[in-house]
Amino acid sequence: MSQLHNFSAGPSILPQEAIDASIEGIKNFAGTGLSILEVSHRGKEFIAVVEEAQATIKELMGVPEGYEILFLGGGASTQFLMVAYNLLEKKGAYLKTGVWAANAVKEAKYLGNVEVVASSEDKNYSYIPKNYTIPTDADYFHCTSNNTIYGSQMQSFPDSPVTMVCDMSSDILSRKVDVSKFGLIYAGAQKNMGPAGVTVVIVRKDILGKVSRQIPSMMNYALHIEKETMFNTPPVFPIFAMLQNLKWVKKVGGVEEMQKRAAARANLLYSEIDSNPLFQGSIATEDRSQMNACFVLTDASLEDKFNAAWKAAGISGIKGHRSAGGYRASMYNALPLESVEALVNVMRTFNN
Ligand SMILES: *Cc1c(COP(=O)(O)O)cnc(C)c1O
């Protein structure tokens, strides 16, 4: 119920309609006379929620046959480990483009051999490496489509000779993606899909069952698939709230419309950053993210003045991540263009 221009990097802004429908579900879920917070996950009403959420994701993203959709707990950070548990036999190949990608590398190393095929750590993750080679003897190649903290985004994906796995936490549903290029996609919902608490995993079944290790139950994708994503109690309310957001995305025009809106927001903000001498972008122009725009003031002495001005304009959440500094405007699906206009207006006028 944001009265502010909410540029939070995550958990992030949701459409008002999704928030209202979630409140209604807390009061009276699907006409049951009970709150969504107090019903069984095995009841037919909630099973219908899970199935509708799966079907809507499949429809919005164009997920082909052969893929399963899971709603798990533990955040994207648990996927760093779970991917390796299920896929790493000889070697995992990783593209290291930021803090989250580095964490994925770190967790995979608990289970086996990791090769970093390229890294942009040398320049504080300010670009996306190109011209790297994915080793054909790797079990999989792992990449991060959008680097939330630094504000860089893969504009295209390589033709991987091995199974491609992607952390799409912060740009899923914001642009068209050819799902068939990937063996596995995962996303913590709290950036662009819903509230915190649920992680979406889209996995092609035929990549599973190929490692020799024993996989503990909660780490085992095949078991979660077999139990129709209800091996244990799923995050009931986050799934419900996520579905309200998915319905909104579908209603307003799907991923195609989200992509148009993302481009409009990003173009407006980046053109201000590029034309206003008081600001400078932090990321190589061709690798800039449409979701998270990172920038700095060219004159640090203006910081207090700028901070006071955006706060006075009702803008929230543009302080940069503690490991990157500067400013970061996160512009997820539900952020109206008017919020970016408000920010650009402050950037133009605060030093007059
Ligand atoms: C936020 C984020 C994560 C971490 O997600 P959790 O759900 O907090 O574990 C991982 N990857 C990316 C790209 C993120 O933006």
Side-chain angles (χ1 to χ4, degrees), residues 205-223:
K205 263 167 86 169
D206 67 8
I207 68 170
L208 301 175
K210 295 189 174 157
V211 292
S212 54
R213 76 171 59 79
Q214 296 228 308
I215 306 174
S217 305
M218 279 298 283
M219 289 285 115
N220 191 341
Y221 292 124
L223 184 58

Side-chain angles (χ1 to χ4, degrees), residues 218-229:
M218 279 298 283
M219 289 285 115
N220 191 341
Y221 292 124
L223 184 58
H224 285 285
I225 290 170
E226 185 192 320
K227 301 291 182 187
E228 296 175 333
T229 202

Side-chain angles (χ1 to χ4, degrees), residues 56-338:
T56 310
I57 289 170
K58 280 188 178 166
E59 184 186 337
L60 288 170
M61 294 183 68
V63 179
E65 288 294 304
Y67 288 78
E68 299 284 342
I69 299 187
L70 299 172
F71 302 137
L72 305 177
S77 299
T78 299
Q79 294 308 307
F80 299 158
L81 185 61
M82 207 163 161
V83 162
Y85 252 115
N86 288 266
L87 303 179
L88 203 167
E89 182 78 13
K90 258 188 359 218
K91 179 166 79 179
Y94 282 74
L95 185 62
K96 198 171 157 194
T97 51
V99 165
W100 298 120
N103 285 354
V105 168
K106 178 175 168 227
E107 298 299 306
K109 280 183 177 167
Y110 283 112
L111 294 186
N113 196 5
V114 167
E115 179 180 335
V116 174
V117 298
S119 168
S120 49
E121 198 176 2
D122 58 337
K123 291 186 182 158
N124 198 29
Y125 297 120
S126 60
Y127 67 101
I128 302 280
K130 311 196 179 68
N131 303 321
Y132 48 87
T133 307
I134 300 169
T136 52
D137 64 339
D139 301 304
Y140 61 92
F141 167 67
H142 179 285
C143 57
T144 311
S145 56
N146 184 69
N147 298 285
T148 325
I149 292 174
Y150 298 91
S152 67
Q153 188 172 26
M154 295 174 77
Q155 307 301 326
S156 63
F157 294 97
D159 289 312
S160 174
V162 297
T163 299
M164 185 152 59
V165 174
C166 188
D167 175 358
M168 291 194 189
S169 293
S170 53
D171 67 356
I172 194 163
L173 295 178
S174 73
R175 58 172 169 171
K176 286 207 145 154
V177 165
D178 179 1
V179 175
S180 72
K181 286 190 84 161
F182 302 87
L184 193 148
I185 292 168
Y186 62 88
Q190 72 273 17
K191 307 280 166 46
N192 215 10
M193 288 190 121
V198 58
T199 306
V200 174
V201 176
I202 304 170
V203 56
R204 206 174 68 224
K205 263 167 86 169
D206 67 8
I207 68 170
L208 301 175
K210 295 189 174 157
V211 292
S212 54
R213 76 171 59 79
Q214 296 228 308
I215 306 174
S217 305
M218 279 298 283
M219 289 285 115
N220 191 341
Y221 292 124
L223 184 58
H224 285 285
I225 290 170
E226 185 192 320
K227 301 291 182 187
E228 296 175 333
T229 202
M230 300 233 195
F231 166 70
N232 70 318
T233 315
V236 172
F237 178 70
I239 294 171
F240 178 78
M242 176 175 69
L243 173 59
Q244 309 317 311
N245 181 49
L246 293 168
K247 284 176 159 174
W248 173 82
V249 172
K250 187 174 157 179
K251 195 184 92 180
V252 301
V255 171
E256 210 175 318
E257 175 65 20
M258 294 301 111
Q259 187 164 335
K260 270 191 215 150
R261 292 184 185 191
R265 289 187 299 255
N267 289 342
L268 178 60
L269 182 52
Y270 284 124
S271 57
E272 183 61 25
I273 290 169
D274 289 340
S275 61
N276 187 331
L278 298 176
F279 295 95
Q280 193 180 353
S282 312
I283 293 296
T285 311
E286 72 275 14
D287 299 326
R288 282 170 165 176
S289 166
Q290 296 208 323
M291 295 282 99
N292 316 94
C294 293
F295 56 95
V296 294
L297 279 163
T298 48
D299 176 356
S301 72
L302 291 175
E303 202 173 305
D304 289 345
K305 205 171 168 186
F306 180 54
N307 291 348
W310 59 259
K311 281 174 195 159
I315 286 165
S316 164
I318 67 162
K319 267 280 184 199
H321 188 272
R322 57 192 184 280
S323 63
Y327 297 93
R328 170 176 54 169
S330 296
M331 301 177 284
Y332 295 112
N333 279 348
L335 187 80
L337 187 63
E338 294 74 58

